[in-house]
Amino acid sequence: MKVVIEGGGPLRGEITVPGDKSISHRALILGALAEGETEISGFLAGEDCLSTVDCLRKLGVEIAVQESTVRVAGVGLYGLREPSAILDCGNSGTTARLLLGVLAGQPFYTVLTGDSSLRQRPMSRVVEPLRRMGAAIWGRSQGKLLPLSVQGGGMRALEYVSPLASAQVKSAVLLAGLYAQGITAVREPEKSRDHSERMLAAFGAAIEVEGNLVRLQGQPRLQGQAVRVPGDISSAAFFLVAASIMPGSDLIVRNVGVNPTRTGVLDVLREMGAALELFNQRLESGEPVADIRVQSADLRGVEIGGEIIPRLIDELPILAVAAMFADGETCVRDAAELRVKETDRIEAVAKEFGKLGAAITPKADGFVVTGGRPLLAAATDSRGDHRIAMALSIAALAGKVRLTMDSAESVAISFPGFWQALHQGEISRLDFFQ
Ligand code: S3P
């Protein structure tokens, strides 16, 4: 699908964004492994989470999805069944990597694959520790790439020192550790998002966190829970940046998850000079939640690197847009992980935003944006990457230029109503073509 966007007006009023993708995946998986029912409200019915639903159903779990309310009939830690079909994770790295952790613990055989993007993304980061725990895993390039087949069972506890700050790696090892006797531990170089730890504790697992070290006692009994999923800060980020850079904006985004392992984007926007205010701060299902007010402001360029990177890795494409509208230079470093996301996001940001006239120089581990360039009308391609699609559209709105974009349907991966949200309040004029 192609979308044509004509520049838009300021953002005013209130919006909500769909549920958090990371938390939605975890609620499904832990709900499946728990005893009794788990009811999830605020669930993100985006394509990635629906891939997790589909895989869990193939493993014998009954799941009823009614828009943003989901009921999972937990089968208990030992109740999954060998699937007779291949599990397709679609575009979703979280589905593939977290389920690999679960499958490592199962005394049966499973084959896992994904779409053409996911089949190029590195899996050795989870395969390697899971093999050390006792799983047999085969695949192309010695098991580095999907499709992968797994013969699990006989898990041994592991003390894993992860070379990466990756919540997917940490979660895969912890999920496998549910099946091992004794304590499985993961230490990371920087702290990655901690939704798994919070939710495991809520479901009844014994888990301890000390800085960047997590310890989990194996073979717990998990109890089904009511999980309320807050709005995804990674989706809210598109509107926080849009309102910051479009003069005359004054917007409230309600019910946003503000877990400190995810709020790097707020810290950077504030440093850039954004006018952000958090209010109604509360805790829901063990996760911090707030409403966020944002007003337009003059932004300035900043340096982004070091420990903050895992706290904003998914927001770097939209922060590049903020930087395009800021005074001076913004330099992103220590973010080589961007090269192995849904697309190579360093190359996509430099090339696709470059078509709009942005001055972005790619680097091995990031990029440099020189702000303040007037934008030009352009024909771009989201490259099938949801976050590139949404970031491009915000750049065009704020730059008041006509943008044509191919593979615009990719927004449905994490934000199914994104184009409708842009339409609301006549923020912009959009036209769609097949
Ligand atoms: C996620 C972890 C992050 C993030 C991804 C979702 C998760 O990936 O980029 O969008 O839900 O655990 P890494 O674990 O690879 O850093």
Side-chain angles (χ1 to χ4, degrees), residues 132-150:
R132 282 171 54 188
M133 297 176 82
I137 303 175
W138 303 268
R140 292 183 295 141
S141 311
Q142 290 88 45
K144 291 192 180 70
L145 298 170
L146 293 173
L148 291 172
S149 53
V150 185

Side-chain angles (χ1 to χ4, degrees), residues 114-198:
D115 71 6
S116 57
S117 153
L118 191 58
R119 292 198 305 271
Q120 292 173 41
R121 297 180 61 189
M123 292 296 144
S124 43
R125 54 184 62 194
V126 290
V127 167
E128 195 259 329
L130 296 176
R131 279 181 175 153
R132 282 171 54 188
M133 297 176 82
I137 303 175
W138 303 268
R140 292 183 295 141
S141 311
Q142 290 88 45
K144 291 192 180 70
L145 298 170
L146 293 173
L148 291 172
S149 53
V150 185
Q151 174 63 58
M155 286 289 96
R156 294 185 293 273
L158 178 69
E159 282 188 24
Y160 189 55
V161 179
S162 175
L164 294 168
S166 160
Q168 294 177 355
V169 171
K170 173 174 61 179
S171 303
V173 172
L174 293 175
L175 287 166
L178 289 174
Y179 292 89
Q181 243 181 29
I183 291 177
T184 290
V186 184
R187 184 185 290 282
E188 348 179 55
E190 284 116 25
K191 196 172 173 70
S192 66
R193 63 192 67 191
D194 65 358
H195 306 300
S196 296
E197 296 90 305
R198 287 173 189 254

Side-chain angles (χ1 to χ4, degrees), residues 271-272 299-303 323 326-331 369:
E271 199 187 332
M272 294 179 89
L299 301 187
R300 53 186 173 270
V302 291
E303 302 271 318
D327 225 23
E329 220 172 65
T330 293
C331 184
V369 184

